Amino acid sequence: MTSSTPPVAYVTSGLIEDPELSAVLAAFERLGVPAEAVDWRDGSVDWGRFALVVVRSPWDYILDRPAFLAWAEKVAAVTRLANPAPVLERNTDKTYLRTLAEAGVPVVPTAWAAPGDELDGEAGGGFAPWPELVVKPTVSSGARDTVRTTDRAEALAHVRTLTAAGRTAMVQPYLPMVEREGETSLLFLGGRFSHAIRRRPMLSGEVGFEDAVREPDADQLAVAERVLAAVPERAELLYARVDLVRTEDGSPVLIELELTEPRLFLTHLPDGPERLVRAVRAALAG
Ligand SMILES: Nc1ncnc2c1ncn2[C@@H]1O[C@H](COP(=O)(O)OP(=O)(O)O)[C@@H](O)[C@H]1O
Ligand SMILES: [Mg+2]
């Protein structure tokens, strides 16, 4: 490519450090694809000068989702955005899990409480049989505002705190398998499975393992395929991360589908950063 080729924007945040940024920019350079890191909040940027705007680590969007979605619309009006704006809109609110469950995808059992809803932990709340609970907001990342407890009153109090602030709360059974097998993240680049990571649990203390590459089991790959098949824009996804945990009976269930700003664990592989750049190059050609 010549120096007049329009660059790719690697969208990040000025506030939270991205551990993959420098390795991926180096891979862009090695493969001769011009690319620049850009803060999504930088109002002076002319997004139209990029051939492709790749959402990667704008992790502070969680503080202002409406501004982030408005930004995505603005960019999509002047150039190509990956993943596409409608995907970002849907994927930044975990109520998408309910849609996927209704489409037949195995999802962690979840009780939902929108602002104004009352959950009754013993009866109507749907979580009476669960010995330990996780309560989280539908708009979150990095386990922000997430509580793990066996105390129903504490769980309900956190639900009320979230809904009183105008947020939707989700209540799930705590899945203890995250401490033994870990959470399995399956990474897809350009629509194809790339690699999988065994991840440390975020809501428990010491465990005997770190995030590391693992071979996914056949049932995990099959569930991940079902999850992606339920995404209308599947063919347009540049990147996707399917996070699975096993329930006590051993079956993998979806805990999160990350189509917005997943950490891709590229630096865990010798050629991980190049894999993303190759997927970008294919998207540019397509
Ligand atoms: N129901 C659950 N059982 C066990 N661990 C959970 C559960 N829900 C969340 N966690 C832990 O909290 C982390 C963050 O929750 P997650 O639903 O992935 O939201 P986000 O990553 O967007 O904050 C997970 O990676 C997992 O370690
Ligand atoms: Mg997660």
Side-chain angles (χ1 to χ4, degrees):
M1 289 192 203
T2 68
S3 58
S4 61
T5 309
V8 170
Y10 181 111
V11 178
T12 184
S13 117
L15 291 179
I16 306 173
E17 197 181 318
D18 173 352
E20 303 186 315
L21 172 64
S22 60
V24 173
L25 288 182
F28 269 108
E29 199 166 329
R30 274 198 298 282
L31 295 185
V33 182
E36 295 169 27
V38 194
D39 184 343
W40 71 279
R41 286 186 190 268
D42 183 345
S44 71
V45 175
D46 168 14
W47 296 97
R49 76 181 177 85
F50 295 105
L52 178 68
V53 172
V54 181
V55 178
R56 286 286 55 253
S57 48
W59 292 323
D60 57 337
Y61 89 84
I62 223 74
L63 305 172
D64 194 348
R65 176 174 178 255
F68 178 68
L69 296 179
W71 168 83
E73 289 288 338
K74 195 179 76 179
V75 173
V78 295
T79 187
R80 292 170 63 194
L81 176 66
N83 283 331
V87 171
L88 305 183
E89 160 124 52
R90 210 170 341 108
N91 188 249
T92 44
D93 184 324
K94 289 192 177 73
T95 51
Y96 70 76
L97 286 172
R98 186 157 49 180
T99 312
L100 290 174
E102 283 162 9
V105 171
V107 171
V108 187
T110 306
W112 306 86
D117 290 352
E118 276 294 326
L119 274 191
D120 175 347
E122 298 310 317
F127 51 87
W130 303 339
E132 188 163 16
L133 305 171
V134 175
V135 182
K136 53 189 158 184
T138 59
V139 178
S140 184
S141 72
R144 197 183 165 89
D145 300 326
T146 298
V147 164
R148 169 189 171 190
T149 181
T150 53
D151 179 344
R152 254 123 254 280
E154 188 189 344
L156 286 170
H158 191 51
V159 168
R160 270 185 232 106
T161 303
L162 293 171
T163 55
R167 308 172 76 179
T168 297
M170 336 168 33
V171 186
Q172 299 177 338
Y174 179 73
L175 302 175
M177 208 71 125
V178 293
E179 293 167 29
R180 305 200 286 277
E181 181 180 66
E183 179 175 345
T184 302
S185 288
L186 295 100
L187 285 309
F188 292 76
L189 297 174
R192 294 226 186 98
F193 172 73
S194 170
H195 57 290
I197 301 286
R198 177 196 197 198
R199 292 175 61 201
R200 289 172 55 84
M202 293 180 69
L203 305 179
S204 68
E206 273 310 292
V207 288
F209 59 93
E210 295 296 329
D211 295 347
V213 173
R214 60 157 293 182
E215 280 302 313
D217 297 322
D219 59 352
Q220 294 172 320
L221 270 172
V223 169
E225 284 297 339
R226 282 174 65 189
V227 171
L228 292 176
V231 177
E233 301 84 352
R234 196 229 154 121
E236 299 161 59
L237 299 178
L238 175 64
Y239 53 84
R241 197 183 78 205
V242 181
D243 295 343
L244 304 177
V245 179
R246 287 187 193 278
T247 57
E248 288 303 275
D249 73 4
S251 50
V253 292
L254 181 67
I255 182 163
E256 187 176 13
L257 168 62
E258 250 287 13
L259 303 178
T260 305
E261 28 64 273
R263 181 170 171 202
L264 297 172
F265 297 93
L266 299 170
T267 52
H268 286 248
L269 302 169
D271 66 337
E274 275 83 359
R275 290 188 193 193
L276 177 61
V277 177
R278 276 188 229 112
V280 166
R281 205 160 52 182
L284 287 169

